[in-house]
Amino acid sequence: MACETAIRTRSREKSINPREHWLDYSEKRWGRQLVDETRILLNVLKLYIPLPVFWALFDQQGSRWTFQATRMDGDLGFWTIKPDQMQVINPLLILVFIPLYEVAFYPLLSLIGIRRPLQKLTLGGIFAGLAFVISTIVEIQLESTYAVIPKAGEAQLRIFNGMPCDYRIQSNIPEHADFTLKSMSMFEEKYLNVKGSATYTYTLSSTGPGPNCAVAEEQRTFVVHEEKQLSYFIRKQDSGISLLRYEDDTEKSSKGYPVFRVLGNTATNRTVVFRDIDSSDGFDRHKNGSYDEEDDPNATLPIDQKEESGLDNPVFKKSDE
């Protein structure tokens, strides 16, 4: 009420009765004590202005910051920090730092003139702001590593060359009419404009070097679909060269496990085993969702039998299912 009275009175008397503070215009009605207490309260309320912003950012520790941590390496050499473990450690750190601040930090701050609670609060706010700035910088750096998922009206095409040969590809792919795919390299186009599906024609010819590189120069086709990631793998099959086509998953793992695909031109009588670098044991696909070809009854089948069974010889994929 004192504020309302001060505003109305000031609008009428500002030019004829100037006061030191705008709240002084309510002194006649509410008294000096209430005016002084209101001024003190308003000064304190200024401290609360940044609090909504601070807590909105601070509470991201349990959401966005944890998600950010899942994309980072928490290996300290002697211990690996899990993304959600800092939420448990934080209350413990508070209990540890309270006496540490009283014994060490506050005496050091007093040496540079920071003694009053308001000064300490301001300094803490500055450091909190710097923490958010650092988190922003880290997120910007991480964005370059995020997978690009095709949106509506887009498709992705990748071509992997698993042969010890270079190949020239001439096609009607927009902006990629003629290019060379080096041995053990890949072609990638993440932003193809596609509505429904699209078919691109191409011819494949060997430019060497390497043995057994010859390929029939006939017209072939790439087929891509909207919001899908399609890949082709150039491989050796029987006495010729063929392209294996497969589709990558665009859905995130439901269990949080990473998903990877290994492409390789391996002999049909070989087995491929993925092993943890910290253990000599092979992955247990039922325990952690990894793929071990030794556990696959079709692993050593000839190529034609594996394709009939729905498995592709050079492709091994880690999944959470």
Side-chain angles (χ1 to χ4, degrees):
M1 296 299 292
C3 293
E4 181 184 356
T5 301
I7 293 173
R8 286 191 285 106
T9 305
R10 182 174 182 271
S11 64
R12 297 193 305 265
E13 302 180 4
K14 180 180 180 180
S15 58
I16 61 176
N17 185 22
R19 298 293 184 93
E20 181 181 352
H21 193 274
W22 65 274
L23 277 173
D24 292 339
Y25 288 98
S26 64
E27 180 181 352
K28 183 176 180 180
R29 179 175 180 181
W30 299 103
R32 185 74 251 170
Q33 182 178 354
L34 181 60
V35 171
D36 290 341
E37 291 176 351
T38 304
R39 290 176 63 177
I40 294 172
L41 176 62
L42 291 178
N43 288 332
V44 173
L45 288 178
K46 292 178 182 178
L47 300 176
Y48 289 87
I49 293 176
L51 284 185
V53 177
F54 170 80
W55 285 110
L57 294 172
F58 183 82
D59 285 339
Q60 292 187 23
Q61 290 184 94
S63 56
R64 296 304 307 172
W65 281 19
T66 302
F67 295 150
Q68 184 184 81
T70 62
R71 300 178 175 92
M72 301 173 68
D73 186 1
D75 186 10
L76 300 179
F78 60 91
W79 180 43
T80 299
I81 301 177
K82 300 297 178 59
D84 55 349
Q85 286 180 338
M86 286 304 296
Q87 305 304 312
V88 179
I89 296 175
N90 188 49
L92 299 177
L93 292 177
I94 293 175
L95 296 176
V96 171
F97 278 114
I98 287 176
L100 189 59
Y101 267 79
E102 293 293 338
V103 174
F105 292 157
Y106 287 157
L108 290 176
L109 291 176
S110 65
L111 297 178
I112 58 175
I114 300 178
R115 299 182 179 87
R116 293 182 296 173
L118 185 57
Q119 292 175 320
K120 298 173 183 177
L121 183 63
T122 302
L123 182 62
I126 293 173
F127 279 115
L130 289 176
F132 295 128
V133 171
I134 293 173
S135 177
T136 302
I137 295 173
V138 171
E139 184 64 24
I140 292 174
Q141 297 299 315
L142 288 175
E143 281 183 351
S144 62
T145 67
Y146 294 168
V148 177
I149 306 300
K151 304 176 183 177
E154 293 181 350
Q156 294 182 1
L157 174 65
R158 295 176 178 84
I159 308 171
F160 298 89
N161 183 4
M163 296 294 295
C165 322
D166 298 342
Y167 288 99
R168 179 186 181 188
I169 298 178
Q170 296 172 287
S171 71
N172 62 346
I173 301 174
E175 300 182 9
H176 302 287
D178 192 339
F179 60 93
T180 298
L181 194 58
K182 297 290 186 180
S183 173
M184 301 302 170
S185 66
M186 66 172 290
F187 162 84
E188 182 177 45
E189 176 53 69
K190 297 181 180 179
Y191 304 100
L192 285 173
N193 294 320
V194 174
K195 291 294 184 182
S197 63
T199 300
Y200 301 106
T201 59
Y202 72 96
T203 56
L204 184 69
S205 58
S206 172
T207 60
N212 304 318
C213 293
V215 59
E217 294 190 20
E218 58 186 22
Q219 192 173 77
R220 309 165 189 249
T221 58
F222 293 128
V223 180
V224 295
H225 302 281
E226 185 178 3
E227 297 186 65
K228 300 292 184 181
Q229 302 179 77
L230 281 302
S231 297
Y232 289 81
F233 180 55
I234 302 176
R235 60 174 181 168
K236 179 75 174 178
Q237 184 176 18
D238 297 330
S239 59
I241 303 298
S242 68
L243 272 75
L244 169 71
R245 178 180 183 272
Y246 64 89
E247 178 182 335
D248 280 313
D249 295 329
T250 57
E251 298 296 328
K252 293 183 179 179
S253 168
S254 61
K255 297 180 181 178
Y257 294 138
V259 178
F260 66 89
R261 186 185 298 276
V262 177
L263 302 173
N265 277 317
T266 61
T268 56
N269 61 348
R270 289 186 178 181
T271 58
V272 176
V273 180
F274 297 108
R275 299 189 184 279
D276 191 325
I277 60 174
D278 298 323
S279 171
S280 60
D281 298 329
F283 283 117
D284 181 352
R285 67 180 301 184
H286 300 290
K287 180 179 180 181
N288 61 13
S290 61
Y291 185 92
D292 186 341
E293 196 180 13
E294 285 186 338
D295 296 332
D296 192 335
N298 294 304
T300 57
L301 291 178
I303 291 177
D304 54 351
Q305 294 184 38
K306 297 184 83 171
E307 290 179 339
E308 290 175 1
S309 66
L311 296 172
D312 299 309
N313 181 50
V315 180
F316 307 100
K317 179 184 177 183
K318 182 175 181 180
S319 172
D320 66 330
E321 299 179 352

